[in-house]
Amino acid sequence: MYASGLKIYLRLLAYVRPYWLMFAVSILGFLAFASTQPMLAGILKYFVDGLTHPDAALFPNAPWRWLQTLQLMYAVPFFIVLIAAWQGLGAFLGNFFLAKVSLGLVHDLRVALFGSLLTLPNRYFDQHNSGHLISRITYNVTMVTGAATDAIKVVIREGMTVTFLFAYLLWMNWKLTLVMLAILPLIAFMVTVASRKFRKQSHRIQAAMGELTHVASETIQGYRVVRSFGGEGYEQGRFLAASLTNSQRQLRMTRTSAIYTPLLQLTIYCAMSALMFLVLFMRGDASAGELVAYITAAGLLPKPIRQLSEVSATIQRGIAGAESIFEQLDAAPEDDQGTLERAQITGRLEVRQLSFTYPGSTAPVLENIRFAIAPGQLVALVGRSGSGKSTLANLIPRFYAHNIGEILLDGVAVEAYRLKNLRQHIALVTQQVTLFNDTIKNNIAYGDLAEKPEAAIRQAAADAFALEFIERLPQGFDTEVGENGVMLSGGQRQRLAIARALLKNAPVLILDEATSALDSESERHIQAALEKAMSGRTALVIAHRLSTIERADLILVMDQGRIIERGTHTELLARGGHYAQLYEKQFVEEKSRRQPRLRKPALNALIITRIDN
Ligand code: ATP
Ligand code: MG
C-alpha cells in the first residue's frame, strides 16, 4: 500500500548529505559515548578483583613504570571518572552536532515544501484543502524531525552500545553469547510487525491532524457566517469529532507500542535468564570478577534494545510524514515549457475554437469560444452566473491549461511564453479580492512591484480612487489592513486591488469584478477607477455595470460556455435577443436601485478593451 519505508528513509537521508561533516562528528561523539558502556562493565571486574587484592597493579605489563605501579584501589575510582568525562564529551558532540544536522534538514524540507506551494498548479489547490497542506508544513515536518533527530540519535547511540556490548561479551565468552544472539531473529520479526502497524497508524494520525487544522481554519475564516447562521453547534460537533478521532488514533498507536515494548523486554529477559542459568550451571574456571563483568554487560543490553525498539514508532511516524511530504514535492509543478520572453507586447488578444473542461470533470465549461480583439477595441462578454466568464479569464494567464483551441497574445500562443514572462504582461484583479496582512502601501506595491517609487504608488491609488479613503485613515499608506483586509470595506478592498493592478502598468488588464452590491457612492468610485484602468491598455473586465458594457465596441453574450450572441450594444438591443432581455431585466433593476440591491444582477459582463497609447 505504501512505498517502501527504506526507500523513503534513504531519500530523507539524502537531505543529510550537505551536512555530512557535522553528521560524521556526531557519529564519532556517539561512538565515544557507546564505547563507555563495556568500559563501565569492564571496570567492575577490577573492582571485584580489587575487593580481595586492593594493591594489585591494574596494568602489570604496561610499558611505563608508573602505569605498572598503579594500584587498583586508586585506579578504579580514577578510571570511572575518566570514563564518565569521556562519555560526557561524546554525548555533547553527538547531541549538539546531530541537532544541527536535523534542524538543518527540517528547515530544508520545510522550505522545499513551501517552495513547491509557489509552483504547484491551480489544480493541486483545487484538490487539496488548505488545512491539510498547512498541517503538512507544521505537523508532518515535526514528525520527520523526530525521525531525523531522536531516531538517528537512538539508532546510532544505542545501536553502537548494543554492538560494543555484544563485541565485549563475545570476546569474554563467545559460546555463552551465542545464546543471546539466538533470539535476534525473533526480535527482528517483532520489530517488523510492529513497524508496519506504526506506519499505518501514523498515516491515520496525520490525516486526522490535517482534518483538525482544516475544521479550525474554516471556522476561524468563516466565523461571521458560523455565528449568524447558528453554525456553532455544527462546527463544535465537527471539531469534537475530528479531535476525538485524532485522540483515538494516537491512543491506538500508543497501545501498539505499549504492548510491543514489554513483549520485547520479556523476550530479552528470557534470553538473559537462560544465560544466567548457564553461567551458574557451568561456572568453569572464570574468576568472580569476570563473571560479574559478563553478567553486568549482558544486563546493560535490555535498555538500549528497548530504546531501539521504541524508536521504531518514531521512525515510522517520520517515514509516514516524509511520504506525504515527498508526495507533494513530487507533484508536477505548473507546466512551463514555453521559452519566449518579450520585454514589451502590444496586447492583441485572439481566441480560436477554445474549449475547456476542468480536470477531473467531464462536462466542458467552455466550448468553441472564438473572438479577436484588435488593439484599440473594446469588447464585452456578458453572461449569466456560471456561464464560464471567470474560467475564460483564468485561461489567459494559464492558471489552467486549455484542452482544445488557441489563445494568442500578440499572435503567439500563450503556452509559448515563459510563464513568468506571460504573467508579467497581465495585471489581474480576481473576483475574490486578495489582500495581505500588511500595510496599504505594501498591498498595492506587492511582489515585483515592491521596487516602485512612492510617487507611483500614490498615483496608482489616486487613479483607483482609493486615495480619498486612504488619506482619511490614521496612518495613511502605512495603515495595516488586517488579514485579507478585514479592516476595510468591500469597495475599499476592491479599489486597492485595482490600484495594485494599475501600478503594475501591464499591457493586458484582467478584471474579474466582484458581484457584491455596493452603495452608489463606492460604485461610482469603482466605475471611475475602472475607466481609468482600462484606458491605454488591453483590459479584460468581467463587470456588472451597464455603463461599462455600453461603451464596448463588441459585446459577446455567453451562456453555458458558448457565445450565443455578438455585436455592439445598439445592434444587440435592436436584435431583441438574449442580450436585450438581460438588459431589460437589469435596466429595470438598475432604475429601481439605489436602495440596497438584494439579488445579484442577472447581467454579468466580461469587457475586453484596448485603447491605443
Ligand atoms: P460568476 O458570474 O458567478 O462569477 P462565471 O461565469 O465566472 O460566474 P465560472 O466561475 O467560470 O463562472 O464557472 C463556470 C463553471 O465552471 C461553473 O459551472 C462551475 O461549477 C465550474 N467551475 C468553476 N471553477 C471550477 C473548478 N476549479 N473546478 C471545477 N469546476 C469549476
Ligand atoms: Mg466569475
Side-chain angles (χ1 to χ4, degrees), residues 386 389-391 431 512-513 542:
K389 303 178 300 294
S390 296
T391 305
Q431 193 163 13
D512 194 348
E513 207 194 321
I542 301 173

Side-chain angles (χ1 to χ4, degrees), residues 285-305:
D285 50 1
S287 76
E290 269 166 2
L291 287 179
V292 168
Y294 185 86
I295 287 298
T296 307
L300 283 174
L301 271 176
K303 186 171 155 258
I305 291 184

Side-chain angles (χ1 to χ4, degrees), residues 140-378:
N140 290 18
V141 167
T142 18
M143 290 300 104
V144 175
T145 330
T149 40
D150 305 347
I152 293 186
K153 182 157 85 189
V154 172
V155 165
I156 294 175
R157 198 183 58 198
E158 307 306 327
M160 302 254 189
T161 305
V162 170
T163 315
F164 280 141
L165 283 174
F166 260 118
Y168 180 71
L169 290 171
L170 281 171
W171 176 70
M172 297 261 295
N173 188 333
W174 65 271
K175 276 189 215 142
L176 268 183
T177 310
L178 284 184
V179 176
M180 292 283 282
L181 285 179
I183 58 160
L184 278 187
L186 186 61
I187 292 183
F189 171 74
M190 289 171 74
V191 169
T192 317
V193 172
S195 293
R196 209 167 291 151
K197 269 199 146 144
F198 285 143
R199 182 124 66 100
K200 213 159 75 191
Q201 288 167 345
S202 296
H203 269 286
R204 297 212 182 112
I205 292 173
Q206 274 167 22
M209 214 60 201
E211 192 58 26
L212 206 67
T213 318
H214 168 66
V215 176
S217 79
E218 228 170 40
T219 304
I220 294 166
Q221 273 161 20
Y223 76 97
R224 248 175 277 210
V225 177
V226 172
R227 308 244 177 119
S228 55
F229 284 87
E232 292 96 335
Y234 170 70
E235 296 298 343
Q236 182 79 278
R238 224 155 62 109
F239 190 80
L240 275 182
S243 178
L244 218 58
T245 313
N246 190 37
S247 312
Q248 278 164 353
R249 290 180 182 174
Q250 299 263 19
L251 195 66
R252 206 166 299 159
M253 179 134 177
T254 311
R255 190 179 63 193
T256 309
S257 88
I259 293 174
Y260 155 77
T261 304
L263 264 183
L264 200 78
Q265 200 79 325
L266 190 68
T267 316
I268 297 166
Y269 275 105
C270 284
M272 284 281 296
S273 79
L275 201 67
M276 291 261 199
F277 170 75
L278 289 174
V279 167
L280 292 174
F281 183 69
M282 33 177 234
R283 289 183 46 181
D285 50 1
S287 76
E290 269 166 2
L291 287 179
V292 168
Y294 185 86
I295 287 298
T296 307
L300 283 174
L301 271 176
K303 186 171 155 258
I305 291 184
R306 193 196 70 222
Q307 283 184 331
L308 276 177
S309 73
E310 277 171 352
V311 97
S312 152
T314 318
I315 290 182
Q316 295 309 324
R317 262 201 296 264
I319 288 179
E323 217 166 333
S324 71
I325 288 173
F326 290 145
E327 182 262 316
Q328 181 176 331
L329 293 184
D330 290 343
E334 258 183 316
D335 195 27
D336 191 7
Q337 306 287 332
T339 50
L340 187 64
E341 299 216 26
R342 291 218 171 141
Q344 205 68 46
I345 61 160
T346 62
R348 172 194 294 272
L349 192 65
E350 195 175 346
V351 172
R352 292 184 190 154
Q353 270 81 42
L354 179 72
S355 293
F356 176 71
T357 309
Y358 274 105
S361 105
T362 46
V365 174
L366 295 176
E367 269 182 284
N368 205 9
I369 303 289
R370 174 179 58 80
F371 63 88
I373 314 161
Q377 245 190 346
L378 166 62

